[in-house]
Amino acid sequence: MTRLRVINLGLPKSGTTTLARAMKIAGLKTADYRIRRRQTQNIDLHGAFVGKLMYDGYFHSGDPLSLMQEFDAFTEVNALREGLSLWPQTDWGIIDAIRQHHPGAKFLLSYRDPKAISDSMLRWSNLGVERLPKNAIPGLPLGYGETGHERVQWIEAHHAHIRKLFAGDDGFLEYDLADKSAKDKIADFLGIDLKWWGRANKGRKPKKSGTEAA
C-alpha cells in the first residue's frame, strides 16, 4: 500500500494552521513550518524549518522529504526568518522531485481570498510590514510587498502558477478555506476521516518585530 504523503502549497495565512491541526487530529504526523522538539526524537530536527529541510534533502539526495521520513503531512513549507527566505511551494524543482520520489503524494492548495490573506499578513507579527518587503521572495523581489496591492498581486500569481502546474492532475486539490464543504472535499481527496475542521489561528495586530511563525 502506498504511503500517504500530503504537501500543502498554500501561502502563509491561507489556513495552514487549521490544516495542520486537522491533519494531526486525523492521525497524520504533521510538520507545520517548523519541527518542534516534542515531535521527534531526532535532535538534528529540533527547531529546524520545514523549508530548510526540504532544500537540504533536495540538494543532498534529490529527495526533498528525505530528512523528514517520519512525517506524513507538510502544511506550511516556507521559511522567512533567521536570514532565510525559502519558498518550496513556488519551486518546480522541489515539487517535481517530491512527485518523482513519492509516487502517489497528494498536493493541496489552501486557497483563501487574496485580499484576506494580504490583510492577515499585515496583522500577523511583522510579516507584512517588515519581513515581506525586506526579503527577496519568488515573485515578490526585495522592496516589494509593503502595500496591499503588491501583496494581492503576488498571491494571485502564486495561485495561478500552481493551477497551471497541476492542471488535470488527480493528485492535486485546491480548496477554499471559506467553503463549508472544504472538510469533506479534503477528506475524500486524501481518503481519510477528518474528525475536526475549524479555525485554529487568528490574526493579530501588526508589530515592529516578533518571533511568531507566519
Side-chain angles (χ1 to χ4, degrees):
M1 182 176 178
T2 302
R3 179 185 176 185
L4 177 63
R5 305 303 284 276
V6 182
I7 301 91
N8 179 35
L9 303 174
L11 293 172
K13 311 313 300 176
S14 65
T16 57
T17 305
T18 293
L19 180 64
R21 183 175 179 186
M23 295 292 99
K24 291 173 185 176
I25 293 174
L28 298 182
K29 189 163 185 178
T30 303
D32 181 57
Y33 179 70
R34 200 167 196 168
I35 309 297
R36 277 71 178 180
R37 290 178 179 270
R38 64 180 181 274
Q39 291 184 286
T40 179
Q41 295 181 352
N42 184 348
I43 61 175
D44 292 334
L45 299 185
H46 289 176
F49 291 103
V50 172
K52 178 68 163 56
L53 293 170
M54 280 191 170
Y55 274 105
D56 285 347
Y58 175 61
F59 284 112
H60 295 164
S61 72
D63 178 5
L65 306 185
S66 63
L67 299 177
M68 297 179 284
Q69 292 290 354
E70 62 190 285
F71 290 91
D72 306 303
F74 309 86
T75 51
E76 184 172 333
V77 299
N78 48 271
L80 188 60
R81 282 202 180 278
E82 300 176 13
L84 297 174
S85 180
L86 303 174
W87 300 81
Q89 67 266 63
T90 71
D91 191 330
W92 168 249
I94 292 283
I95 294 170
D96 191 51
I98 294 173
R99 296 168 91 177
Q100 296 301 321
H101 286 271
H102 303 275
K106 300 286 190 176
F107 292 87
L108 296 171
L109 175 61
S110 53
Y111 175 88
R112 186 183 179 195
D113 176 73
K115 188 177 184 304
I117 294 179
S118 171
D119 290 346
S120 187
M121 286 177 171
L122 187 62
R123 294 193 302 272
W124 185 260
S125 183
N126 61 350
L127 179 61
V129 296
E130 289 189 17
R131 283 186 285 152
L132 288 179
K134 292 184 178 180
N135 285 274
I137 296 166
L140 198 67
L142 181 66
Y144 294 90
E146 188 170 4
T147 71
H149 171 75
E150 291 168 353
R151 290 192 300 273
V152 167
Q153 190 164 329
W154 167 59
I155 294 162
E156 290 176 339
H158 174 67
H159 292 161
H161 179 223
I162 297 301
R163 290 170 189 143
K164 285 283 187 181
L165 291 182
F166 285 92
D169 190 332
D170 59 8
F172 170 76
L173 173 71
E174 175 182 348
Y175 69 90
D176 190 332
L177 189 64
D179 184 355
K180 293 182 179 179
S181 64
K183 174 185 174 182
D184 293 335
K185 289 178 179 177
I186 296 169
D188 289 344
F189 174 66
L190 299 180
I192 62 175
D193 179 21
L194 281 188
K195 300 176 182 179
W196 177 90
W197 189 255
R199 187 176 181 185
N201 210 349
K202 295 182 180 181
R204 56 188 67 183
K205 294 180 180 179
K207 298 178 181 179
K208 293 184 178 179
S209 62
T211 57
E212 306 298 332

